[in-house]
């Protein structure tokens, strides 16, 4: 029997474990790209669609999952989502049909939508209000550790035991998380009933958000600036470094994971900078411009950059990727207080759709610049194809930074 005073921490621990787990699944396509392309006989465009399916599902489920958490509580929703991720992973292992592989990726994305939202619900329901911000920060720290350790350690396991056995193990771990969440997590005592008196206002509230032109421009800029994280770090970074630098997959994964290490520090650093210059807008704009510059260097001088330089550049990129924290703050200041939560969900939805956009663009770009090389019936892409395809990331980041600058207040910055 768990002591009552420890129960909230235990519930938070298993919810955070799921949050970290879904990061591993989010990064998996970058570690098994050649193997899956060979298994299903697909090209980079198809694989871009496969990677994008996660983000389509994740983005689309943000608001529904938030509503389900209010209606049914975190135990049922988190357990169901963990089970969905696990079954999606096992489906990918056992299927030989490309359509089912796309379905598996969609299921993983849909299930992952409850990773942060479910943990946030537990924090707000079981911890004192004054601890909310600190607990959310702690949640992101442990969640990003899942992204860090989902890089080189998982890549090393794949190199040693093969992707089938490793993904099967990951799927079984998901089943274990499902069981523990179902047994340990409790619904809050004040769980809302089925009436949901606030539900009729959801549509009108959402209309107020999408009719806010300035907020839409902020969302568009956020959409354009996510390429470094959701395009490069999540999927294409590992195969790019493997091809352009000729390094082992697990070492490439370790280098790319520096983006997530940087994100561990980026939130406080960018918040401090924004406070010093008294403008979330200017710091966000500068982050977009600097990310664009870093990727110009990364792609233009790829053969001249050593591993130390790559580590530093991607660590700085990770810090800059935390501009999203400032975007959420900007968005909240643009709407009435009662629309704050829905605004954050909306911005996060658009942010994740950006991942789908970049995976599709990069995949199409690689096929467009493909030189015709085929090995064992599978297309092989040289470093130039990667470079030209990934150039969409700095172009979009600079555009996003410019948009933020153009909509920034001239006299009284946020």
């Amino acid at each position: 029997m768990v002591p009552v005073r420890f129960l909230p921490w235990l519930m938070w621990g298993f919810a955070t474990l799921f949050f970290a787990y879904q990061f591993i699944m989010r990064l998996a396509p970058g570690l098994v790209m050649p193997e899956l392309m060979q298994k299903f006989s697909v090209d980079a465009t198809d694989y871009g669609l496969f990677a994008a399916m996660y983000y389509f599902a994740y983005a689309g489920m943000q608001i529904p999952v938030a509503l389900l958490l209010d209606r049914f509580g975190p135990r049922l929703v988190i357990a169901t989502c963990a089970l969905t991720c696990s079954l999606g992973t096992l489906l990918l292992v056992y299927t030989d049909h490309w359509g089912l592989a796309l379905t598996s990726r969609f299921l993983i994305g849909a299930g992952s939508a409850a990773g942060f939202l479910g943990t946030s619900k537990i924090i707000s329901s079981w911890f004192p209000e004054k601890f909310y911000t600190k607990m959310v920060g702690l949640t992101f720290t442990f969640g990003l550790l899942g992204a860090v350790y989902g890089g080189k350690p998982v890549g090393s396991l794949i190199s040693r035991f093969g992707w089938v056995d490793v993904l099967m193990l990951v799927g079984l771990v998901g089943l274990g998380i499902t069981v523990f969440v179902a047994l340990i997590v409790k619904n809050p005592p004040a769980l809302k009933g089925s009436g949901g008196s606030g539900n009729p206002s959801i549509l009108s509230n959402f209309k107020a958000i999408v009719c806010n032109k300035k907020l839409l421009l902020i969302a568009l800029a956020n959409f354009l600036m996510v390429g470094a994280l959701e395009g490069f770090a999540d999927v294409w970074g590992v195969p790019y470094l493997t091809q352009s630098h000729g390094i082992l997959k697990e070492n490439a994964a370790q280098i790319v994971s520096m983006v997530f290490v940087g994100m561990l520090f980026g939130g406080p650093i960018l918040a401090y900078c924004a406070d010093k210059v008294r403008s979330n807008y200017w710091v966000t704009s500068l982050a977009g411009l600097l990310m664009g510059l870093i990727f110009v260097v990364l792609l233009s001088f790829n053969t001249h950059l050593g591993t130390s330089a790559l580590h530093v550049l991607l660590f700085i990129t990770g810090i800059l990727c935390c501009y999203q924290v400032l975007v959420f703050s900007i968005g909240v200041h643009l709407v009435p207080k009662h629309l704050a939560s829905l605004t954050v969900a909306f911005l996060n939805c658009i942010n994740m759709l950006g991942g789908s956009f970049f995976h599709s663009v990069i995949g199409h770009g690689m096929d467009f610049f493909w030189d015709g090389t085929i090995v064992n019936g599978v297309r092989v892409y040289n470093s130039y194809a990667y470079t030209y395809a990934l150039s969409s990331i700095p172009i979009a980041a600079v555009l996003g930074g410019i948009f933020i600058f153009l909509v920034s207040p001239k006299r009284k910055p946020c």
Side-chain angles (χ1 to χ4, degrees), residues 32-100:
V32 295
M33 178 179 168
E35 293 86 348
L36 290 184
M37 289 180 68
Q38 183 173 26
K39 176 180 179 178
F40 295 104
S41 300
V42 296
D43 55 25
T45 298
D46 293 324
Y47 202 77
L49 175 61
F50 171 77
M53 293 299 288
Y54 174 97
Y55 300 91
F56 281 127
Y58 190 103
M61 288 299 292
Q62 283 294 291
I63 294 175
V65 165
L67 298 176
L68 289 171
L69 284 166
D70 283 338
R71 173 63 180 86
F72 297 104
R75 177 172 58 185
L76 177 62
V77 176
I78 298 176
T80 301
C81 287
L83 178 62
T84 301
C85 283
S86 180
L87 294 179
T89 305
L90 295 175
L91 175 62
L92 179 62
V93 171
Y94 287 105
T95 187
D96 292 317
H97 191 278
W98 181 239
L100 289 178

Side-chain angles (χ1 to χ4, degrees), residues 247-295:
I247 56 182
L248 295 175
K249 178 188 297 183
E250 53 266 35
N251 293 334
Q254 193 274 330
I255 293 173
V256 171
S257 70
M258 292 303 296
V259 173
F260 301 102
V261 175
M263 290 182 70
L264 293 174
F265 304 93
I269 291 175
L270 294 190
Y272 173 81
C273 293
D275 182 63
K276 283 296 181 181
V277 301
R278 295 183 297 171
S279 176
N280 289 335
Y281 290 89
W282 297 348
V283 174
T284 304
S285 176
L286 183 61
L289 298 177
L290 288 177
M291 280 193 291
L293 177 61
I294 286 175
F295 267 82

Side-chain angles (χ1 to χ4, degrees), residues 176-237:
I177 293 175
T178 301
V179 173
F180 280 109
V181 167
L183 292 176
I184 299 298
V185 174
K186 307 296 181 184
N187 287 332
L191 183 64
K192 295 180 180 179
S194 59
S197 58
N199 290 344
S201 65
I202 293 175
L203 184 60
S204 60
N205 288 343
F206 190 73
K207 182 179 179 181
I209 289 174
V210 298
C211 290
N212 188 320
K213 294 181 180 179
K214 192 169 185 178
L215 182 63
L216 291 180
L217 285 174
I218 296 296
L220 175 61
N222 189 23
F223 177 95
L224 291 171
M225 290 166 61
V226 299
L229 174 62
E230 297 179 10
F232 185 84
D234 281 3
V235 174
W236 299 99

